[in-house]
Each structure stands twice: as C-alpha cells, then as structure tokens.
Amino acid sequence: MTKATTIILTDTPVSEGWQADNPVQIFKNEIHICLKEGQELSLRDIQKAGRKIEGLGIDVAKLSGDLWTEESQWAFAMGFTCVGKLTNVEFTGAQAQKLMDKLAIFAWSRDLTNQTPSQLYPLKLAELAADYIKSQAPEHVSVEVISGEALEQQGWTGIYNVGKGSINPPCLMVLDYNPTGDAQAPVAASLVGKGITFDSGGYSLKASAGMFDMKCDMGGAAVVAGALALAINQGLDKRVKLFLCCAENMVSSHAYKLGDILTYKNGLTVEVANTDAEGRIVLADGLLAAADTQCELIINAATLTGAAMMATGGDYTALFGLDEQLMAQAKTQAIEANEPVWQLPLERWHQDKCPSVFADTANSRTQKGGGAGGASNAAGFLARFVPNDGKGWLHMDLAAAYNGSANSLWAAGGTGQGIATIAALLKA
C-alpha cells in the first residue's frame, strides 16, 4: 500500500535554518507550505508548491490543517497531479468528497488527452466519452454515432473530408443528456468538441517537432465531455447535447487536398487553403448540428490555433464571441474556477478575413499559421456556422489544455483547463 505524506498549509514556518525562507519546508515526516507573516500565498503559488512537492517523489499527498480552503486545495491538486498520479490527493474538510469527485473527472479527461493515437482513434474516442458520461447518469443519456460514408451521405462534409484519408473512419458522436424524462423538452445548451485524435497536418504536413504532441488535438472533445460529466455530477437538471467531431487528419491517396471545395449543410462553400486548419472544418459540422437544436447556449472548445498559443503563452484559454454578455459571464466563471482566460478580438468582419476566389470563403490563408490575427480569423470562420448572429455562442481556443513538458505549474500532458468553467456555465 502506498503511504500518504501529510501536507500542511501553515502561517508558522517550521524551520529557522536553511529552509526558513522557502515556501515548502520539510519537518520530520511532514511537508509544510508556509505562508509569510501577514501575507497569503496566491493560488498560483500554492499550485507551484504542489508541483515542487510532487518533484520530491511523493506518491500521495494528504492535505491537513485548518487553513486549507476549497480553492487552495484544488490549486495544490492541479500542481501535484501528473501522469500516474492523477487522483493521488487526499482532501480535507467539508468539501473533501466534492473535490475528490471533481478530481476524478479531471483525471479521466486528462488521461484521455494523454492517450496515444494508436490507442485513441476516432470511434474509440466517441465510445469512451459516451461510456463515461453514461456512467454519471445512465438513465438519462442516449447516444448516436454517425461514421464513415454515412457522414457524407448525411451531409457532414467537414468531418468526412478531414477524416477520409485515414484507415480509421471519422465520426460525429451525438450525446443527449435529458434528465427531464420528456422527449420533447427543449435543449438548453449544446457543447461541441474538436476530436482530432491525430493531426499530421494532412498535405500541409507538419514538421516532426510540431507533430509530436498532436495526440492532444482531441483536447477540445476531452474538455467538453469532462465538463458535461462534471455538471451532471454536480446536479445538472437541464437537457444538454454534446457533439464530438472526431477524425484523424492523415496523408493518403484518399485524403482531402488543397484547393478542394466543401459544401456544408447551410449551403456555404469553403475552399481548402490549408489542410492543417482542419479543426475549424470539423467544428463547422458540429456547430450546424448544435444550431439545429435551437438551444440558447452553444459552447465549442478546441485546441484550434498555434496563434492562440503565441498570443497567450499557453497560460490562458483564449475566449472568442460576439455576445458580450455571455463573454462577461464566461470570464466571471473562469475566475471563480481559477482557470485563466483572455478575450481575443472577434468582430463580424473577421468572417471575411480568409477570402476565396472560388468559394464563399477559404478555411484559412496560405501564410504560415494563417497569417496575422490567425486565432481571430479562425473564430471568424466558425462564426459563419452559428445562429442568431452569434448570440449565445462561445468559442474557447484551448491554448492551456496541454503541455508537452512540465513547467513550474503543470506536469507534462493534459491539464483539463476549461472543464470547470464550462460546467459552471451549463449550470448557470
């Protein structure tokens, strides 16, 4: 049995020697995170302490003491947990069980993101997500999976074309969580996730270094699935639909090509200017499906652009939308969840930033990274596929969803950032 190490948050330093000024101090068989006199450690500081403590080789962290709050315990857990230790925290106080349930859901989502492309092909991603959400409320969940040639036959041209070059067929997974018991109940919200289980870039082929971490390109699907699972666990009583747009973006004789023109269900034609801008191509189908539900809230999440990573440094999720009230609400929920977000520009005229001579729009520009304003231009493309002039729609470009290597805050791998924010928006 693995022995837990006690971690105490204290305002009394335990050492007067070489450790005296360190926030992390070791005393006998305990580890103390020490507040400086008259000051409080920020949640960021506590998360960093969690990362340092895990680096000492601690297997299980048992939190103890009266100074731990729900927020500080969660910050510690996000720093401490890592591959092989995704649930290895014992919480304390009245919120312990709530935090343990939340950590288990984050662990599932993070583990899903960390799986290899051979393990996690499109249909497997759909299956695992469906099974996990069903386990939260089996009597209220129904699932439909549309895959392979059926996608083309039913008009889901984006997912079909991005995924048709792979031996593993693409799919659209439609999950209906309906706790009302009424088959005619209105859908309150729809979630749309990018589920590219491996992204070679297609004929716009990535370099090896850029392709190495592309198992994480289904991080949007993992985040929205985790968010729905968390909201259900916390008592969600509204009908919500989940759309996962799953495909492998591969090179083959059957793969989609530069210059191809796709015609979507809404009649919009799209010229393929970059096969490595595939996320927006598949999300367009998911957004059209979400619009068909006539719900008031649509949230899509995706590891969509390198431009968002360049803009935020990977420390923030980039937020886009045309509904300022919803944007303000999302930022408030993100602050409460300690999931840093930053709003980047999006106006209706961003829809015209990827022009095409041969179609209504291109999916990108031919410049590297989509050119200047690439993240906003990608959001502008998506805005063409949402209803009500963007009212009730939120786009999350998940620049903070995955780290290729460990840093002072996070272990390597998926982070789950965005899950708590989306879950809160569903319950609002």
Side-chain angles (χ1 to χ4, degrees):
M1 180 180 292
T2 302
K3 187 175 181 180
T5 299
T6 299
I7 313 296
I8 298 173
L9 184 64
T10 178
D11 55 6
T12 306
V14 296
S15 175
E16 296 180 355
W18 62 270
Q19 298 187 91
D21 293 328
N22 293 344
V24 174
Q25 299 181 14
I26 301 171
F27 180 72
K28 295 183 178 180
N29 291 321
E30 300 171 344
I31 297 177
H32 294 242
I33 302 174
C34 298
L35 307 173
K36 292 184 178 180
E37 186 175 357
Q39 295 181 343
E40 291 185 2
L41 288 178
S42 69
L43 295 180
R44 186 179 179 88
D45 290 331
I46 291 173
Q47 185 167 341
K48 284 184 176 181
R51 187 92 294 277
K52 288 180 179 178
I53 290 169
E54 190 282 323
L56 298 174
I58 305 302
D59 288 323
V60 178
K62 181 179 180 180
L63 306 187
S64 180
D66 296 333
L67 295 185
W68 286 108
T69 64
E70 180 178 345
E71 294 77 16
S72 61
Q73 290 187 74
W74 185 251
F76 175 89
M78 291 296 93
F80 180 83
T81 51
C82 61
V83 173
K85 304 179 187 178
L86 288 173
T87 58
N88 289 21
V89 178
E90 296 179 13
F91 297 103
T92 187
Q95 301 299 320
Q97 187 58 53
K98 175 185 175 182
L99 287 167
M100 196 67 247
D101 291 345
K102 182 179 177 181
L103 187 63
I105 291 169
F106 267 68
W108 173 83
S109 177
R110 294 169 73 185
D111 180 66
L112 193 67
T113 306
N114 293 339
Q115 291 188 25
T116 71
S118 295
Q119 290 173 309
L120 197 69
Y121 47 89
L123 283 169
K124 188 66 174 181
L125 171 58
E127 175 190 344
L128 291 176
D131 287 349
Y132 188 73
I133 295 172
K134 277 185 178 179
S135 73
Q136 303 295 318
E139 68 278 14
H140 297 317
V141 174
S142 60
V143 178
E144 177 187 11
V145 178
I146 307 162
S147 67
E149 297 301 317
L151 289 165
E152 183 179 35
Q153 293 163 8
Q154 296 185 32
W156 303 116
T157 189
I159 300 170
Y160 173 76
N161 276 279
V162 169
K164 71 179 183 179
S166 173
I167 193 171
N168 294 309
C171 67
L172 173 63
M173 191 269 273
V174 183
L175 183 146
D176 186 356
Y177 169 69
N178 187 1
T180 69
D182 178 6
Q184 303 304 314
V187 177
S190 291
L191 303 178
V192 181
K194 174 185 173 184
I196 301 297
T197 56
F198 185 71
D199 181 18
S200 72
Y203 277 102
S204 304
L205 192 67
K206 293 178 182 289
S208 180
M211 202 186 300
F212 181 72
D213 287 323
M214 283 301 102
K215 64 182 181 182
C216 82
D217 215 17
M218 41 59 65
V223 164
V224 291
L228 180 55
L230 180 60
I232 293 170
N233 178 267
Q234 294 178 345
L236 180 66
D237 59 0
K238 305 172 186 175
R239 187 178 185 183
V240 174
K241 285 200 171 186
L242 172 70
F243 300 91
L244 299 188
C245 309
C246 308
E248 284 183 337
N249 187 21
M250 303 291 282
V251 178
S252 75
S253 61
H254 195 49
Y256 78 135
K257 305 171 187 68
L258 295 161
D260 280 352
I261 293 179
L262 313 181
T263 303
Y264 283 87
K265 281 194 168 192
N266 63 351
L268 191 79
T269 56
V270 174
E271 183 180 19
V272 179
N274 184 352
T275 62
D276 196 22
E278 84 298 331
R280 65 200 74 178
I281 292 178
V282 302
L283 285 175
D285 280 335
L287 290 170
L288 288 172
D292 284 344
T293 70
Q294 299 183 333
C295 60
E296 294 184 354
L297 174 65
I298 297 174
I299 302 173
N300 69 259
T303 50
L304 200 64
T305 65
M309 178 74 75
M310 292 296 291
T312 67
D315 296 310
Y316 296 83
T317 291
L319 286 187
F320 297 87
L322 296 167
D323 183 336
E324 287 303 324
Q325 183 176 350
L326 176 59
M327 294 295 287
Q329 182 184 6
K331 286 185 278 189
T332 297
Q333 297 290 5
I335 290 169
E336 291 183 4
N338 193 30
E339 293 184 334
V341 299
W342 197 263
Q343 184 175 351
L344 292 181
L346 180 62
E347 303 289 347
R348 286 179 176 81
W349 44 260
H350 278 106
Q351 296 181 25
D352 301 319
K353 282 289 189 174
C354 298
S356 168
V357 174
F358 303 103
D360 295 322
T361 185
N363 72 317
S364 186
R365 296 177 183 175
T366 55
Q367 297 102 313
K368 180 177 175 60
S376 293
N377 298 342
F381 177 89
L382 295 179
R384 289 175 171 270
F385 297 90
V386 298
N388 306 321
D389 293 323
K391 182 174 174 58
W393 167 61
L394 177 68
H395 163 45
M396 301 178 72
D397 197 331
L398 299 172
Y402 184 88
N403 293 301
S405 57
N407 57 40
S408 63
L409 286 171
W410 296 99
T415 66
Q417 291 293 279
I419 290 176
T421 300
I422 296 172
L425 289 168
L426 290 178
K427 294 170 58 189

